Amino acid sequence: MKQSIGAKPLAFPTPAWVVGTYDMNGKPNAMTAAWGGICCSNPPCISVSLRKATYTYAGIMENRAFTISIPSEAYVKQADHFGITSGRDEDKFEATCLTPVRSELVPAPYVGEFPVVLECKLLHTLEIGLHTLFVGEILDIKADESVLDENGNPNIEKIRPVIYNPGSRDYYGVGCSLGKAFSIGKEC
Amino acid sequence: MKQSIGAKPLAFPTPAWVVGTYDMNGKPNAMTAAWGGICCSNPPCISVSLRKATYTYAGIMENRAFTISIPSEAYVKQADHFGITSGRDEDKFEATCLTPVRSELVPAPYVGEFPVVLECKLLHTLEIGLHTLFVGEILDIKADESVLDENGNPNIEKIRPVIYNPGSRDYYGVGCSLGKAFSIGKEC
């Protein structure tokens, strides 16, 4: 029997990503975001939603660009830190001892220590309510060699990305393989 | 050392959700979607991106509503099946032996057997390219009593949602807890 639990921003899974921007003085900043996802295959695009009050919102509007850095489990504390403080008050890269790397494709920094990063050019801005949805075209993905498989594709078991659970506001890792997509459903 | 792997629609994690709609004859239909995410906290909204060619696209446009049914691991094969065939050719609920339940809030069906469902009213449509991004306002979430914790909140360890891995196109479960958000990062 299903129970109504009300109108809430809950879904499972949601990601734990870090959005990188420069501020108006060129200082690198980054913040954690869980409201986002891939939103188009061609051109490849990703969406991320931010509150207007964030310093990152201003950074995206200033530069029309952002990066998404995908943390591995090993950096879950640092990823969380990027979501606690504001870049107005603190240099978060300095606080976390992580390295802001300047993208060669867009005016935005990414987290050098995270295994996978997406370099995005702002394509669309959609005002929804408390959050603004930004659509970024993925101009390139860069990944550590250590997380690539033999065909040069990023391997989720090596990346070990972080899942955000908005139900109880905690983080999870990725578990076991459940089978091949576009395949196991043929048996139904 | 990071390698460029090109402009691709890849990110980690992405969800495996099932989007429910009625077709123009009122027949329930559903399809699997991984391009989506929460996109606003107030009003609570979720986005999902679909190709115009899908039968679900037509169903959303017809009814200005959709549901998101979140499968548990136990239903990964059925969830995959919803992504393989088209509702134009097959009654997918019949094929998977799953139950289309009529939402009382929006003109759209959800998957009765899946543990968590979101009932959404279409708020925005954004054409991006191959995919169209739909923003739906979450009017209510319904969850099986068996996945609620003692406070009535959905528990991710009981839901056991499915992660889609766009790198190698397979599914994963959720793994171990990595700590409390807005908390573990204070230690940095």
Side-chain angles (χ1 to χ4, degrees), chain A:
Chain A
M1 181 63 189
K2 284 196 167 47
Q3 284 195 357
S4 165
I5 60 167
K8 295 178 182 176
L10 291 183
F12 308 90
T14 71
W17 293 334
V18 170
V19 184
T21 53
Y22 287 114
D23 76 2
M24 62 184 65
N25 300 314
K27 192 186 84 172
N29 182 38
M31 73 171 279
T32 318
W35 293 172
I38 294 288
C39 63
C40 189
S41 294
N42 188 12
C45 291
I46 195 163
S47 77
V48 64
S49 291
L50 305 176
R51 288 176 297 112
K52 270 210 176 81
T54 62
Y55 204 46
T56 298
Y57 179 101
I60 293 178
M61 296 304 264
E62 174 87 12
N63 295 286
R64 314 285 299 170
F66 60 90
T67 62
I68 300 284
S69 297
I70 300 178
S72 58
E73 287 184 13
Y75 290 104
V76 65
K77 285 184 183 176
Q78 288 86 344
D80 188 52
H81 188 88
F82 281 113
I84 293 177
T85 60
S86 170
R88 282 189 189 88
D89 310 320
E90 180 188 74
D91 182 328
K92 296 193 228 181
F93 283 96
E94 207 171 88
T96 54
C97 300
L98 293 175
T99 313
V101 178
R102 177 176 288 273
S103 163
E104 291 174 5
L105 297 175
V106 295
Y110 60 79
V111 182
E113 287 81 358
F114 288 8
V116 179
V117 300
L118 285 64
E119 298 161 283
C120 305
K121 178 181 75 173
L122 183 64
L123 271 195
H124 297 285
T125 302
L126 180 63
E127 300 293 341
I128 302 178
L130 181 62
H131 286 77
T132 302
L133 180 145
F134 293 108
V135 174
E137 180 178 348
I138 302 167
L139 299 186
D140 194 21
I141 299 181
K142 292 188 170 64
D144 287 345
E145 286 178 16
S146 59
V147 301
L148 299 178
D149 66 18
E150 60 278 15
N151 302 312
N153 295 316
N155 181 319
I156 196 170
E157 296 183 19
K158 294 178 177 177
I159 298 168
R160 304 186 71 78
V162 176
I163 295 163
Y164 176 63
N165 168 24
S168 51
R169 305 196 351 154
D170 44 15
Y171 301 108
Y172 281 80
V174 170
C176 297
S177 171
L178 301 175
K180 293 298 289 178
F182 310 103
S183 173
I184 55 173
K186 291 178 184 167
E187 298 164 28
C188 279

Side-chain angles (χ1 to χ4, degrees), chain B:
Chain B
M1 181 62 190
K2 284 197 168 43
Q3 285 195 355
S4 164
I5 61 166
K8 296 178 182 176
L10 292 183
F12 307 92
T14 72
W17 292 335
V18 170
V19 185
T21 54
Y22 287 115
D23 76 2
M24 63 184 66
N25 300 313
K27 193 186 83 173
N29 182 39
M31 73 170 281
T32 319
W35 294 170
I38 295 289
C39 62
C40 188
S41 295
N42 189 12
C45 291
I46 195 164
S47 77
V48 63
S49 291
L50 305 176
R51 288 176 298 112
K52 269 210 176 78
T54 63
Y55 204 46
T56 298
Y57 179 100
I60 294 179
M61 295 305 263
E62 175 85 12
N63 295 286
R64 314 284 301 170
F66 60 90
T67 61
I68 300 284
S69 297
I70 301 179
S72 58
E73 286 184 15
Y75 289 104
V76 66
K77 285 183 182 177
Q78 287 86 344
D80 189 52
H81 188 88
F82 280 113
I84 293 177
T85 60
S86 169
R88 284 191 188 86
D89 309 320
E90 181 188 74
D91 183 326
K92 296 194 230 181
F93 283 97
E94 208 171 89
T96 53
C97 300
L98 295 175
T99 312
V101 177
R102 177 176 289 273
S103 163
E104 291 173 7
L105 298 176
V106 295
Y110 60 80
V111 182
E113 288 81 358
F114 289 7
V116 179
V117 301
L118 285 63
E119 298 161 284
C120 305
K121 178 181 76 172
L122 184 63
L123 270 197
H124 297 284
T125 302
L126 180 63
E127 301 291 343
I128 302 178
L130 181 62
H131 287 76
T132 301
L133 181 146
F134 293 109
V135 174
E137 181 179 347
I138 302 167
L139 298 187
D140 194 21
I141 299 180
K142 292 190 169 63
D144 288 344
E145 285 178 18
S146 60
V147 301
L148 299 179
D149 66 18
E150 61 278 14
N151 301 315
N153 295 316
N155 181 319
I156 197 170
E157 295 183 20
K158 295 178 176 176
I159 299 168
R160 303 186 71 77
V162 176
I163 295 163
Y164 176 62
N165 168 23
S168 52
R169 305 193 354 150
D170 43 16
Y171 300 108
Y172 280 81
V174 169
C176 296
S177 170
L178 302 176
K180 295 298 290 178
F182 309 103
S183 173
I184 55 172
K186 290 178 185 168
E187 298 165 28
C188 277

